[in-house]
Structure formats: structure tokens, C-alpha cells
Amino acid sequence: MKNETTTLPGVYTITAGDLGSLFESSGVTANDLSPYAQMTAVAENTNTAELQRLMTSPDGKAIAQLLQAPDLRIRCHAGGSMSQEELYYVLLAAGTAAVLAQFTDSEGRLKLLLFSDWSSFLNWWISLYGTSDTHSYREIFPGRQDLETLVCACHCLDLYRRANLESMLRYEASGQVAITPRDFIVSLKEAILQGDNRWLLPSLINLTPGLKTHKLVLAPEHLDILEDWGFIQKDQNGSGETLTLGKLGITLGTEFASTWMGSVGFEAVALINGQKKVLDRKILMPTAFTTHLVSLEPEHGELKFQHQALDSGHIITLLEQWMGYLKKIAFTTVPPQTVAPEPARFCHQCGAPLRPGRKFCTKCGTLVEH
């Protein structure tokens, strides 16, 4: 886990066994969004010093509420390049501005970070996973495109990175990518199968929640689109067609080969009518030059993506707006249906008020008419 937490307010480290005491004292019923919905009934009751500090602090009740009954859960999966892989949750609930980030450290302890609001969390989070550079790119992938096009683009960048590394080992200038369309697809599938997150394409698939189970349908038009954008170019030679990188592919390939800082995929889930529903999926891929943000959106059973390359200030603004959108969905509840109270009834004989459920008037004894 990232270690820059010592200066943050509201940081607590407890064990999984502490959850029993914490949950029991809160009196809150866990819902299906809780990361610990299934273990609350079997969690041990402990009495560690850190647990006591949490339970006696002003943060204890808010943390227990967010851990047990969040209304919005963001599952984050970080890794890629040479960074360590980590899985954690960001939890929010209606009625409070507080945001809880829940990590698990290398010893299996739970590290709980409570932020006063989404803005304070977001600024801390971007400082860890974004880039401090101030560059925003022109549009690289215009509009909404098939996920398969992004998959092919990421594999192009990995091929450039590999060729670059191999040329360094041979003490040569930067390597050139030259591959047949068939070998391109074969190597792409092998990269996904091997799942090595040190490469861009596997990290996209493995770190973005839900993508590992998504069926990709690759087609020649996905490479045609990349050619139209100047990402690749197709050359004819004596042995047939060969793919090489175009100007845009080389530019982005150089950027990711030398300065890619890893990625973090995240998925927002809410309870809608009692059922868990995925609201949005994104992946953040920062480099030294900019922060690449990819949003995934379902469309007629397929996944489309939108790409933006923005500086940290614009990323924060965008994710502030994103949270406003999520809250409108996750925090909007259907008012409970109430039964209108039965109108007051009076005895037709003496006019005294009638008590509900009684067959006779308690004042004059007259039989109540129904």
C-alpha cells in the first residue's frame, strides 16, 4: 500500500478480528455493499489498543457505518509497470460527506483512512496515482470506440516497448516494430493469457474490474481504425502485409515505454432497489507527461471506451463531477410507502371515541358497526 499516510488525520490500523467488536458496538446492520458483509457474523471480538482508540474517537461511529452499510462502493485495483499490486475500497454513504478508504497492508491488517469529504480524498488520491505534470493532450481516440480498438492500441505500445528493450540489449538504436496481422493477434492473445501486469495490455484487462470476464471480439476493422488515426501503418512486401507503428504509435510508445507509472482501475457499485448495480468503470494510466483516463460504457451488450489525457487539475475536476453523478443515482431512494392512518371513529349512540379493535363502545356498551 502507498505509505504516505502518516500525516493524514483519521488513520487507524486494526486487525480483521477487531471487526466483531467494532460492528457489535455500532448497532448497524451490514448491507450487500459492505466488503465484510459475510464475515460480520463470525468476526472475533478483540480488545486491542488500536481498536479502543478507534471506538473512543469521534471517527469510530462514522467508520463503522461506512464499513457496514455504504450506499456507494468504489473497488480499486492498482498495479502495472513495476508497481506493487493492491486491492482496496472507497466507501460513501448518504447523510454524511465523509469518505472511507480501506486498505489491507502486507501483514493482513486493515488500514482505515477517513476523509472529511470527497474533495479531500480525491486530492490525496491523485497525488499518489496521478502525475504532477500540467499537460493535457489533444484528442487521441475520438469519441466512443469499441473496447477492442483500445486493446489493439495497448498491444501496439507493448510491442514498441519490447522492441525498445531488446534494442538496448543489443546496443542498437530504438527498435522498430514489424509484425504480420496474424502474428499481431496471436501475440495479443498470448499477452492477455499470460497476464503479466508489467505490460500495458494485461494490466488494462486485469486491473479494470469486470474486464477479465468480458469476451473480446477482435476484427480487422479495429486495426483499420488505428491505421486511419496514424497509430499503425500497413506495408506490403514480398512476404505479404506487415504492420509497423505510425507517428502517433511511436510517440505514445515512447511515452509509455519510458515513463508509465502503473495504473489503477476502479468500479463504482450502488444498491438500486436492493440489487447491486455497476454504475461505471474507469482506469487511470499516468505517465510523466499526462494522466490517461479511460472510461468504459456498455452499449447494446458491447463495451465502448472514451479516452482523455489530462493534467491533474482537470482530472480532479472531472472526478468531482463524476462523483456528483454517482451520488444522484446511489443516494436517491424511493420514499417508503406509508399506510394512511385509519380515520377516527365515534360511537353512533353516545358519540364517544371508539378504540381500535373493540367490538363495543367502552362508554355505553353499544355494538360497534363495521
Side-chain angles (χ1 to χ4, degrees):
M1 196 198 75
K2 304 293 182 181
N3 291 319
E4 295 99 349
T5 61
T6 54
T7 59
L8 292 171
V11 179
Y12 304 89
T13 303
I14 63 175
T15 68
D18 291 332
L19 292 174
S21 296
L22 179 64
F23 293 163
E24 184 178 0
S25 66
S26 71
V28 177
T29 302
N31 66 21
D32 288 341
L33 286 186
S34 171
Y36 303 101
Q38 301 302 319
M39 70 174 296
T40 54
V42 297
E44 301 174 8
N45 289 314
T46 61
N47 195 27
T48 63
E50 186 68 3
L51 174 64
Q52 287 302 309
R53 186 176 80 86
L54 171 59
M55 293 177 63
T56 57
S57 76
D59 300 330
K61 185 176 181 180
I63 287 177
Q65 171 75 31
L66 289 166
L67 274 177
Q68 285 186 277
D71 294 303
L72 180 62
R73 184 185 74 194
I74 303 174
R75 179 177 180 266
C76 301
H77 195 173
S81 188
M82 303 306 293
S83 62
Q84 185 174 353
E85 191 170 348
E86 56 185 350
L87 177 66
Y88 58 95
Y89 296 93
V90 180
L91 307 169
L92 301 93
T96 176
V99 176
L100 179 67
Q102 182 266 301
F103 295 83
T104 303
D105 67 15
S106 59
E107 298 179 8
R109 297 174 302 183
L110 308 181
K111 188 173 286 291
L112 308 173
L113 283 66
L114 186 67
F115 296 84
S116 59
D117 53 31
W118 175 253
S119 294
S120 58
F121 164 78
L122 192 57
N123 280 276
W124 172 80
W125 189 75
I126 289 296
S127 72
L128 296 183
Y129 294 103
T131 177
S132 58
D133 203 77
T134 57
H135 290 82
S136 295
Y137 282 11
R138 64 175 177 82
E139 189 176 59
I140 299 174
F141 304 97
R144 290 158 57 93
Q145 301 290 337
D146 290 345
L147 173 64
E148 287 79 0
T149 304
L150 177 64
V151 165
C152 291
C154 288
H155 190 51
C156 286
L157 303 186
D158 282 339
L159 290 174
Y160 176 87
R161 185 181 176 199
R162 177 173 179 170
N164 190 51
L165 291 172
E166 290 175 344
S167 68
M168 291 174 64
L169 292 174
R170 295 191 298 265
Y171 301 100
E172 299 175 352
S174 296
Q176 297 295 321
V177 174
I179 190 171
T180 67
R182 179 184 180 278
D183 288 342
F184 180 91
I185 297 300
V186 169
S187 60
L188 183 154
K189 292 179 178 179
E190 288 178 348
I192 294 176
L193 185 62
Q194 291 173 359
D196 188 341
N197 288 341
R198 291 175 296 180
W199 300 93
L200 187 61
L201 173 56
S203 72
L204 169 71
I205 301 297
N206 294 334
L207 301 180
T208 309
L211 278 197
K212 288 186 73 171
T213 58
H214 179 75
K215 183 179 180 181
L216 295 171
V217 182
L218 298 170
E221 55 260 31
H222 297 128
L223 291 177
D224 293 340
I225 292 173
L226 292 182
E227 184 180 23
D228 291 341
W229 296 339
F231 213 99
I232 61 172
Q233 54 190 26
K234 298 176 183 178
D235 303 314
Q236 294 289 340
N237 53 38
S239 59
E241 191 175 61
T242 300
L243 302 179
T244 58
L245 291 186
K247 183 178 180 181
L248 178 58
I250 293 173
T251 300
L252 282 178
T254 303
E255 176 184 338
F256 274 89
S258 56
T259 69
W260 175 42
M261 302 175 184
S263 303
V264 54
F266 47 106
E267 173 186 75
V269 181
L271 286 177
I272 306 296
N273 297 325
Q275 300 294 321
K276 287 189 288 187
K277 181 179 180 181
V278 175
L279 302 184
D280 198 12
R281 295 188 182 106
K282 298 183 186 295
I283 186 168
L284 201 72
M285 301 182 290
T287 68
F289 298 98
T290 191
T291 300
H292 296 265
L293 180 67
V294 174
S295 302
L296 299 178
E297 303 170 4
E299 183 178 289
H300 305 304
E302 300 178 351
L303 275 180
K304 303 289 185 177
F305 80 93
Q306 284 191 302
H307 168 272
Q308 293 169 285
L310 304 170
D311 61 76
S312 59
H314 283 93
I315 287 287
I316 289 175
T317 299
L318 188 150
L319 292 180
E320 286 277 16
Q321 297 170 348
W322 179 68
M323 180 51 62
Y325 156 78
L326 295 180
K327 285 184 175 181
K328 284 183 180 179
I329 299 175
F331 294 178
T332 300
T333 58
V334 179
Q337 293 183 347
T338 57
V339 179
E342 186 177 345
R345 300 176 63 205
F346 301 90
C347 177
H348 67 277
Q349 183 67 32
C350 68
L354 296 174
R355 294 183 182 179
R358 294 295 182 90
K359 295 183 179 180
F360 298 91
C361 175
T362 55
K363 183 176 182 180
C364 68
T366 301
L367 179 66
V368 175
E369 294 180 349
H370 294 281

